[in-house]
Amino acid sequence: MAGLWVGAAALVGAGRRGRRLPQPLMRSSALWTLKHVPHYSRQHLMVSRSLCSAGYDSNEKTFDKILIANRGEIACRVIKTCKKMGIKTVAIHSDVDASSVHVKMADEAVCVGPAPTSQSYLNMDAIMEAIKKTRAQAVHPGYGFLSENKEFAKCLAAEDVIFIGPDTHAIQAMGDKIESKLLAKKAKVNTIPGFDGVVKDADEAVRIAREIGYPVMIKASAGGGGKGMRIAWDDEETRDGFRFSSQEAASSFGDDRLLIEKFIDNPRHIEIQVLGDKHGNALWLNERECSIQRRNQKVVEEAPSIFLDSETRRAMGEQAVALAKAVKYSSAGTVEFLVDSKKNFYFLEMNTRLQVEHPVTECITGLDLVQEMIRVAKGYSLRHKQADIPINGWAVECRVYAEDPYKSFGLPSVGRLSQYQEPIHLPGVRVDSGIQPGSDISIYYDPMISKLITYGSDRTEALKRMEDALDNYVIRGVTHNIALLREVIINSRFIEGDINTKFLSDVYPDGFKGHKLTENERNQLLAIASSLFVAFQLRAQHFQEHENSRVPIIQPQVANWQLSVKLHDEVHTVVASNSGPTFSVEVDGSKLNVTSTWNLASPLLSVSVDGTLRTVQCLSREAGGNMSIQFLGTVVAEGQEICVIEAMKMQNSMTAGKTGKERTVVPVLRSLPGCLLVSRKGR
């Protein structure tokens, strides 16, 4: 990102939200959001509202103690519901996770091995020993790790421990893409045209691809998360795809079997949440739009989908339930579909676990899916009928990751969170996280920081709340993807609902470059930066007056601050004057009024520019006077000469410590001692 600097060219003259929740949201309030506090402990856990209206019956007995075979945000998420249900919890952890939030939240905790997942969170022997040691009656696997491992479910059954998920036959049937496709066909679920068997070699792959018609998708039978998947547009790409996909499938899943099916160009990824019990009942809980993806992994999800009409929604829901009943599914699960531009939908796969994006479904239905999973595992029947399932409002989820969005839309970043503040003070905001200030984002685990969810009466309100939440999310110490998330939700194509799984590559064909300022945004930025600069100088002057109170000092009275501001490669002359908390700023002939509390000690600063509210983040304030700010979500880049300030005929150059790519949006405000020249002649 190009730098922004402000310096004094000449100085003239003298001078120097709590809102009540809207009614729909107040009705939907039961899941919790952690509010992190200093000296975090079980005794000092603080929670705030979240967005779900599930009820808890204290007379309905389930389990005395549940072990959560997972970590991070999903472990915290499960523990919150267990606490509401009066169930004691056991956390497992690796040695490096000993001080993690999920460990502190649980009633008991057991170390199951060193940091590598194969030696800890995938270590079935160690987890089974923890179950015996703590006498847990049931296990919730969360998502990932052992959540869809049929061998783990069998081990639990052998010890009379309840697996809070579907039966092993459903896990096995839906975990194999070939078998699941055959079962879907049998259940009269729409399937993508393709070859139902296992592809033997590259020659057979080419023959099958020609029969289906290009383009085709080559995918691992036991795959997931985009691994072992290749798109082929001709014979040569099919041969290469067969070779690379089989190798990747073997290394990732220990299973090199492949299948080939028709590739649906420009599809949407829309999934149906299902819920079944052990008594043959099953429901569909509406859909989630999950088309914003990078590398076949979801980035932004919402519920419901702006694309579906009621007829298509019902058809997809009924087919999803038909598949669930065909495998006697008993738990929460998700049936994923690809949907083309004409609303034709095709079965993709079924995930036999709780999905990462389940909170948006909870927001619009009022159900607590973790609670429902626990009830079903205990043997209770579903409490609801299909006609009882509403679509109440709109919910959006952004996956906040510790990763660099300027590199392939997000390559992992590691580090320690030096400062962390969730935007849960805003209305309609839920944050599912498992971290706190000081937490490490390590190389061993997924770099997700949190799931940021906003809810509104309609899509417009939910998106506006998401924009505000992203602006108010304070994350320091690691690179994060908030800049990309913010750009997606304000993009005109996204707002209009014109999206598909290639959205990111279509909108940003040369990669994500950051926000491009409009002329109005540029003027706002220059005005805010100049006002902050002057506010900083006034504060420093105020401290100097008090510290030297014994020595009479005649301070110059300044009415107008004439500043030279450089943004990117352009230098702007800005004139600022202040009256109390309001600055009047002239930028390139335009006059703007900037008002704030000017609390320079806060990481967040709410600023009004001619009535437009902006949230500015103060990224750093160094002892020497240097200060950097964040505007419209983008994070400061490192590794270049980021600003030059000329003052008193001397040039002060500042460089960042690491090499990085220049960004175009986030402004950097720097001030150095001596850069303001005050004339006692009152010019």
Side-chain angles (χ1 to χ4, degrees):
M1 188 216 69
L4 175 151
W5 63 260
V6 185
L11 305 173
V12 182
R16 358 185 1 176
R17 255 181 215 195
R19 297 190 318 203
R20 184 178 176 85
L21 289 176
Q23 192 62 29
L25 188 57
M26 293 181 71
R27 287 199 304 266
S28 57
S29 171
L31 286 178
W32 306 349
T33 306
L34 277 178
K35 178 178 179 182
H36 300 299
V37 295
H39 309 296
Y40 198 90
S41 71
R42 292 191 187 94
Q43 289 71 32
H44 290 87
L45 285 177
M46 297 182 67
V47 296
S48 80
R49 70 180 183 278
S50 89
L51 312 172
C52 171
S53 59
Y56 300 90
D57 183 356
S58 59
N59 295 318
E60 187 177 78
K61 301 303 180 183
T62 53
F63 303 102
D64 296 324
K65 186 184 293 186
I66 291 176
L67 181 142
I68 296 93
N70 217 300
R71 65 179 300 278
E73 70 86 11
I74 190 58
C76 294
R77 164 69 189 87
V78 174
I79 292 171
K80 292 170 190 176
T81 289
C82 288
K83 286 183 179 295
K84 290 290 287 186
M85 297 178 72
I87 301 171
K88 292 183 178 180
T89 55
V90 179
I92 62 168
H93 64 90
S94 64
D95 52 8
V96 298
D97 272 348
S99 298
S100 294
V101 174
H102 78 282
V103 172
K104 295 176 180 179
M105 287 181 65
D107 297 290
E108 300 175 60
V110 179
C111 182
V112 290
T117 56
S118 61
Q119 301 175 49
S120 52
Y121 296 104
L122 292 175
N123 186 343
M124 284 192 279
D125 291 339
I127 295 173
M128 293 303 299
E129 187 61 32
I131 294 168
K132 294 176 183 177
K133 178 180 178 181
T134 60
R135 297 182 180 179
Q137 299 165 314
V139 172
H140 196 299
Y143 54 73
F145 293 141
L146 298 172
S147 62
E148 295 178 284
N149 189 305
K150 62 181 183 294
E151 297 304 323
F152 181 57
K154 289 178 181 178
C155 288
L156 294 175
E159 297 295 331
D160 292 326
V161 176
I162 302 297
F163 179 72
I164 302 176
D167 294 336
T168 54
H169 72 273
I171 297 175
Q172 180 172 344
M174 293 295 101
D176 186 297
K177 285 185 171 57
I178 294 175
E179 185 177 353
S180 66
K181 188 174 180 181
L182 292 173
L183 284 168
K185 275 188 174 182
K186 188 175 180 181
K188 296 185 173 15
V189 177
N190 299 345
T191 57
I192 300 173
F195 180 67
D196 295 333
V198 177
V199 183
K200 297 177 182 178
D201 53 37
D203 289 337
E204 186 177 37
V206 169
R207 178 182 61 78
I208 293 169
R210 288 175 178 175
E211 291 176 356
I212 296 171
Y214 288 110
V216 297
M217 173 71 81
I218 303 169
K219 59 203 302 187
S221 175
K227 290 182 171 58
M229 295 176 63
R230 296 288 189 284
I231 300 169
W233 295 81
D234 54 37
D235 291 354
E236 183 178 357
E237 290 186 357
T238 299
R239 292 183 185 278
D240 290 341
F242 179 87
R243 178 163 55 91
F244 291 128
S245 290
S246 59
Q247 291 172 354
E248 188 173 18
S251 62
S252 298
F253 313 113
D255 185 343
D256 64 356
R257 295 178 302 151
L258 301 177
L259 57 84
I260 299 179
E261 60 190 21
K262 179 71 176 176
F263 174 65
I264 308 300
D265 202 11
N266 296 319
R268 288 173 178 263
H269 186 140
I270 301 177
E271 59 191 28
I272 300 290
Q273 177 72 59
V274 295
L275 184 64
D277 62 23
K278 300 180 184 298
H279 306 280
N281 304 305
L283 303 170
W284 51 275
L285 309 180
N286 303 311
E287 80 280 4
R288 294 186 288 258
E289 173 73 70
C290 306
S291 297
I292 307 300
Q293 304 179 1
R294 48 102 171 93
R295 297 187 298 279
N296 295 305
Q297 293 182 326
K298 302 162 190 172
V299 179
V300 178
E301 303 100 348
E302 59 183 308
S305 168
I306 194 174
F307 185 64
L308 294 191
D309 52 48
S310 58
E311 183 179 346
T312 307
R313 176 178 297 114
R314 183 174 60 255
M316 293 177 69
E318 289 175 350
Q319 289 196 17
V321 165
L323 179 60
K325 288 186 174 181
V327 293
K328 296 181 174 58
Y329 197 85
S330 58
S331 192
T334 300
V335 181
E336 301 191 347
F337 293 94
L338 292 181
V339 185
D340 67 19
S341 59
K342 297 181 180 179
K343 295 188 174 68
N344 297 310
F345 57 90
Y346 305 96
F347 171 73
L348 183 62
E349 64 181 351
M350 183 176 187
N351 291 307
T352 56
R353 53 171 168 78
L354 193 65
Q355 290 281 91
V356 176
E357 57 273 18
H358 76 273
V360 292
T361 296
E362 293 181 328
C363 288
I364 67 166
T365 62
L367 296 178
D368 179 339
L369 293 182
V370 174
Q371 179 193 13
E372 299 302 327
M373 294 177 75
I374 293 172
R375 292 186 70 260
V376 167
K378 184 61 177 177
Y380 289 109
S381 298
L382 297 182
R383 297 179 294 174
H384 307 283
K385 303 297 183 184
Q386 190 63 57
D388 300 331
I389 305 303
I391 296 180
N392 182 19
W394 210 284
V396 180
E397 175 178 302
C398 285
R399 300 191 187 188
V400 181
Y401 280 97
E403 57 187 22
D404 187 349
Y406 302 98
K407 298 176 181 177
S408 301
F409 301 111
L411 293 183
S413 170
V414 297
R416 176 165 293 179
L417 291 165
S418 57
Q419 193 172 7
Y420 183 73
Q421 183 176 313
E422 295 173 347
I424 55 176
H425 62 286
L426 300 176
V429 174
R430 165 178 168 177
V431 182
D432 282 17
S433 70
I435 58 173
Q436 60 187 338
S439 291
D440 287 316
I441 306 297
S442 75
I443 61 173
Y444 297 106
Y445 312 117
D446 186 90
M448 180 186 285
I449 294 174
S450 73
K451 301 182 311 197
L452 177 62
I453 305 103
T454 56
Y455 172 84
S457 59
D458 55 28
R459 190 171 188 258
T460 299
E461 185 176 45
L463 289 177
K464 181 59 176 71
R465 287 176 169 176
M466 180 59 74
E467 185 180 345
D468 292 342
L470 290 168
D471 284 343
N472 281 270
Y473 208 149
V474 178
I475 303 172
R476 305 283 187 270
V478 296
T479 304
H480 54 74
N481 68 332
I482 282 181
L484 174 62
L485 297 172
R486 194 184 191 282
E487 285 302 299
V488 168
I489 65 163
I490 66 171
N491 181 272
S492 59
R493 273 188 55 181
F494 181 84
I495 292 172
E496 293 165 4
D498 179 17
I499 61 177
N500 56 50
T501 55
K502 298 195 300 180
F503 177 87
L504 290 180
S505 58
D506 287 347
V507 174
Y508 310 106
D510 299 320
F512 180 63
K513 305 295 183 183
H515 181 74
K516 293 185 179 180
L517 294 171
T518 64
E519 182 179 356
N520 184 50
E521 289 170 343
R522 182 205 65 184
N523 289 344
Q524 288 183 1
L525 169 57
L526 295 173
I528 292 170
S530 300
S531 300
L532 262 172
F533 180 84
V534 175
F536 184 82
Q537 297 301 318
L538 290 173
R539 187 181 75 161
Q541 177 180 305
H542 176 75
F543 287 158
Q544 186 180 34
E545 290 173 354
H546 283 274
E547 289 175 2
N548 297 279
S549 58
R550 293 183 180 181
V551 180
I553 296 178
I554 300 176
Q555 293 290 346
Q557 299 298 310
V558 182
N560 296 309
W561 302 69
Q562 185 171 331
L563 307 173
S564 179
V565 185
K566 184 176 181 182
L567 176 61
H568 310 320
D569 295 324
E570 298 179 353
V571 177
H572 305 265
T573 299
V574 177
V575 179
S577 61
N578 81 299
S579 175
T582 299
F583 284 84
S584 178
V585 185
E586 183 175 337
V587 180
D588 295 341
S590 299
K591 291 186 177 180
L592 300 93
N593 292 315
V594 183
T595 304
S596 178
T597 59
W598 306 112
N599 179 7
L600 301 180
S602 171
L604 294 171
L605 197 62
S606 180
V607 181
S608 173
V609 185
D610 286 342
T612 299
L613 294 177
R614 297 291 189 190
T615 298
V616 175
Q617 292 205 23
C618 300
L619 298 179
S620 65
R621 300 170 206 83
E622 299 172 5
N626 303 334
M627 181 169 63
S628 62
I629 64 173
Q630 176 179 309
F631 182 69
L632 298 181
T634 307
V635 177
V636 176
E638 297 176 292
Q640 56 187 320
E641 185 175 68
I642 49 180
C643 86
V644 176
I645 300 179
E646 292 185 3
M648 314 249 338
K649 297 183 180 181
M650 295 181 65
Q651 178 170 291
N652 300 283
S653 175
M654 292 181 295
T655 58
K658 296 181 180 180
T659 300
K661 188 175 182 180
E662 182 179 271
R663 303 301 174 214
T664 58
V665 185
V666 175
V668 181
L669 170 67
R670 300 287 191 216
S671 66
L672 286 178
C675 67
L676 288 173
L677 177 59
V678 180
S679 172
R680 293 188 179 182
K681 296 180 181 179
R683 292 191 291 118

